[in-house]
Amino acid sequence: MSGKRYIKAITSYQVQRHTVRMASPRHILTLEAALSEDDKRHVFHLADKVRRCGNDMTADMMKVYWQLVDTEEYSGLMKAYGKAIEAEDAVLKKELGAKLKAMQEQHNVTWSFCWHKALEYARTYDIRTAFTLSRAEEIWSGMEKLLYSGGKKLHFKGKGDLSLIRGQTIRNGIAIHPNENGSLRFQLGKLHFTNIVKPEDKFINDETAAIWSYLQDPESNDRHAVEAYLRDGTLTDTYRPCYAALKCVKIKGKLRVYILVTVEGKPMRKYRKARDSNGNVLYDSNGEPIYVPRHTYGTGRVGVDIGTQTIAYTSKGEVNIKNLAERGDSIKHREAEERRLRRAMDRSMRAMNPDNYNPDGTVKKGMKTWIRSKRYMKLWGKLKELSRIAAENRHYAINEDVNHLRELGDELITESENADKVRRKAKPQTKEELADPHVKNRNRKRCGRSVQNRCPGYFQEKAKQVFASTGGRYVVVPAGFRASQYDHIADTYSKKPVSHRKRTLGDGSEVQRDMYSSFLLSNADDSYTSIDRDACMKNFQDFYRKEQARIMEIQKSGRKVMNSGIRTYRKSHTRKSA
């Protein structure tokens, strides 16, 4: 009987439970691990081993991928497959797809090959298989983008860019156990630890209590969720911990380890302490602080015009235009500091490696050995910390903006996503450049830095998530809506250059282009395919009054709104980061 593998039969209840779990939403709870400095160094070392293991798997997958792509047969099949898609020939498309799949298997561009590599490197690096398989899943997800979604290459993780240490279940990799005192205990091999408890953080305490309650009787909670789903399709927030991951971060020179727990169900509502007009905390009769919801949910429409650097929105109670992802210091101030650090790093690198540069200052070709001085590493640490703070500020600023929009209404109406298309749109060469034979055809993509600093794509994804999870709607109008071209007074469409930031309507009224577009979006018809002119005529005077008042506030504040065409009365100033 040896050598046979027995597979446990799957019951109908397990199939139903799996269906419910796949249909349920998930969110991530972030906790800080309570670890000693020595234990933190061990976790950082493990994260670096996972990074190096992942880089080896990435190199192996890229090697077999390029061997596949370089074959003439595969290139011919890909071209024929593209023509079959254009011709909408389903039969030929299916036949060519099968041939492409067979070639991928022949060249080992498969999940099975990636899976076996994960098992091999788990033994090589002496890492748990759960961690290497989790990293292999990420690499294969990137490989699928190369094969099917127009991706270009897989990315390696450089030194210092540590990978997540992610388990696959709450028992495999990083285990989660309930303590008797109502807290959670995490286990990584022989290392047992808990999270840092913050009594004032009600959200984390409520989420932790819900997870602890599930772990006390998981079978009963799962059966209750399955019965509710089979009865009327209701999805129950069980707060089942699916798996946990460890994220290693160095903040201001200190090592910190965060626990990312993926939890089944919608996140709990966040609360804050109630305060009176003087800012004092209010207490109930038992001496406990009174908590009120941190965010309120409004009703009504909110028209939002999203640009590469700004957002303009119009609702029943507010009209505004502001910079995207800006919180505290202006982005220009941070970019100037970043340029200063990069110049200093470049000077240090040239001083320590003079043999690696040509007389004209360019880097020599071929294999080189680079020496990084202590000064360079210190500057690199400052640059990394600056980038981390900027990323955190972008994240918080976008979350604050989205939550504010949800307070204004429950129906967000906007145009389709176009940030990536704008970023890739090339500027044409000038006549002088075309006439000069020595000028190379350089890469002329635009808005790349704006998209990086402002993250309009993340803003849209966050807005979709928040409005969907709070009972609201996120509506994208079709391309024929043309909010930036319509004049509701004259009832005509006219295309304007992007450089024209103000519009003069049929009655002589002058409005800011983006805010007017958001006004038209908020007055879409019931099908969201065209603009309701009657609603525009009814609501325009109220919008115009609020729009003019907002422009006056921006001009007096001296805070420049990018690409708005609004001139300030005094020079822009920077404020300390919030």
Side-chain angles (χ1 to χ4, degrees), residues 149-179:
S149 302
K152 294 184 178 179
K153 63 178 181 179
L154 296 179
H155 294 279
F156 294 87
K157 285 186 173 290
K159 189 175 182 180
D161 184 13
L162 300 178
S163 298
L164 287 178
I165 306 172
R166 181 163 65 89
Q168 294 185 307
T169 65
I170 59 172
R171 296 180 182 85
N172 188 4
I174 301 172
I176 305 177
H177 307 283
N179 283 331

Side-chain angles (χ1 to χ4, degrees), residues 6 64 70 81 85 112 136 149 160 183 197-198 233 350 372 376 394 406 413 449 459 531 537:
Y6 293 93
V64 295
D70 287 344
Y81 189 80
I85 293 176
S112 177
S149 302
S183 62
V197 179
K198 299 179 180 179
R350 290 176 183 274
R372 293 173 174 82
Y376 177 90
R394 283 195 297 268
R406 184 62 184 89
I413 305 173
R449 182 169 293 179
F459 175 86
I531 301 169
M537 298 294 289

Side-chain angles (χ1 to χ4, degrees), residues 2 22 28 31 56-57 68 71 102 121 177 228 288 337 351 388 483 499 508 558 568:
S2 61
M22 291 298 102
I28 296 177
L31 309 169
D56 287 343
M57 285 190 286
L68 170 67
T71 59
Y121 285 120
H177 307 283
E288 296 292 332
E337 180 68 13
R388 185 195 64 80
S499 58
T568 56

Side-chain angles (χ1 to χ4, degrees), residues 231-369:
R231 183 173 58 251
D232 52 9
T234 303
L235 292 174
T236 306
D237 296 331
T238 60
Y239 295 97
R240 175 181 70 92
C242 306
Y243 53 85
L246 297 181
K247 182 179 180 181
C248 300
V249 185
K250 193 173 183 179
I251 300 177
K252 296 181 179 179
K254 295 183 179 180
L255 306 182
R256 290 191 176 183
V257 178
Y258 291 95
I259 312 165
L260 309 181
V261 185
T262 301
V263 185
E264 185 179 282
K266 294 180 181 179
M268 290 190 172
R269 194 166 183 179
K270 295 185 177 181
Y271 292 85
R272 59 179 176 82
K273 293 179 181 179
R275 299 179 183 272
D276 58 17
S277 57
N278 297 324
N280 300 319
V281 179
L282 300 178
Y283 296 89
D284 59 15
S285 57
N286 297 325
E288 296 292 332
I290 300 173
Y291 288 93
V292 295
R294 185 179 299 181
H295 306 292
T296 58
Y297 301 145
T299 57
R301 287 186 170 185
V302 184
V304 183
D305 183 84
I306 305 172
T308 55
Q309 300 193 75
T310 59
I311 54 167
Y313 54 88
T314 299
S315 67
K316 188 176 180 180
E318 184 177 343
V319 177
N320 195 8
I321 183 172
K322 61 178 299 186
N323 292 328
L324 255 175
E326 191 164 279
R327 185 171 181 263
D329 273 350
S330 68
I331 289 178
K332 285 189 175 182
H333 175 79
R334 192 259 303 168
E335 284 185 331
E337 180 68 13
E338 183 178 334
R339 286 195 298 270
R340 185 188 68 79
L341 289 173
R342 289 190 182 277
R343 287 198 303 268
M345 291 169 65
D346 183 64
R347 290 194 301 270
S348 175
M349 188 65 78
R350 290 176 183 274
M352 296 299 297
N353 306 275
D355 296 335
N356 292 347
Y357 294 90
N358 294 316
D360 60 354
T362 58
V363 180
K364 292 181 179 179
K365 294 183 179 180
M367 184 69 70
K368 294 172 288 295
T369 300

Side-chain angles (χ1 to χ4, degrees), residues 393-456:
N393 280 336
R394 283 195 297 268
H395 175 78
Y396 290 136
I398 288 177
N399 286 355
E400 290 169 359
D401 290 342
V402 170
N403 287 325
H404 180 64
L405 292 177
R406 184 62 184 89
E407 292 175 357
L408 296 177
D410 61 348
E411 190 175 1
L412 188 147
I413 305 173
T414 186
E415 294 179 308
S416 60
E417 303 173 4
N418 61 353
D420 191 61
K421 295 179 182 178
V422 172
R423 181 178 63 85
R424 295 176 182 275
K425 189 174 181 180
K427 295 180 181 179
Q429 285 184 301
T430 62
K431 294 181 180 179
E432 292 77 10
E433 290 174 334
L434 290 172
D436 191 349
H438 301 290
V439 174
K440 294 182 180 180
N441 187 14
R442 295 188 297 273
N443 188 346
R444 295 179 175 277
K445 295 177 182 178
R446 64 178 188 175
C447 297
R449 182 169 293 179
S450 300
V451 171
Q452 176 193 3
N453 289 335
R454 306 292 181 175
C455 302

Side-chain angles (χ1 to χ4, degrees), residues 367-403:
M367 184 69 70
K368 294 172 288 295
T369 300
W370 295 93
I371 301 174
R372 293 173 174 82
S373 64
K374 292 183 179 179
R375 178 174 179 270
Y376 177 90
M377 297 307 297
K378 186 177 180 180
L379 293 170
W380 178 76
K382 289 183 178 180
L383 179 63
K384 191 173 181 181
E385 179 67 13
L386 184 66
S387 300
R388 185 195 64 80
I389 294 173
E392 290 289 335
N393 280 336
R394 283 195 297 268
H395 175 78
Y396 290 136
I398 288 177
N399 286 355
E400 290 169 359
D401 290 342
V402 170
N403 287 325

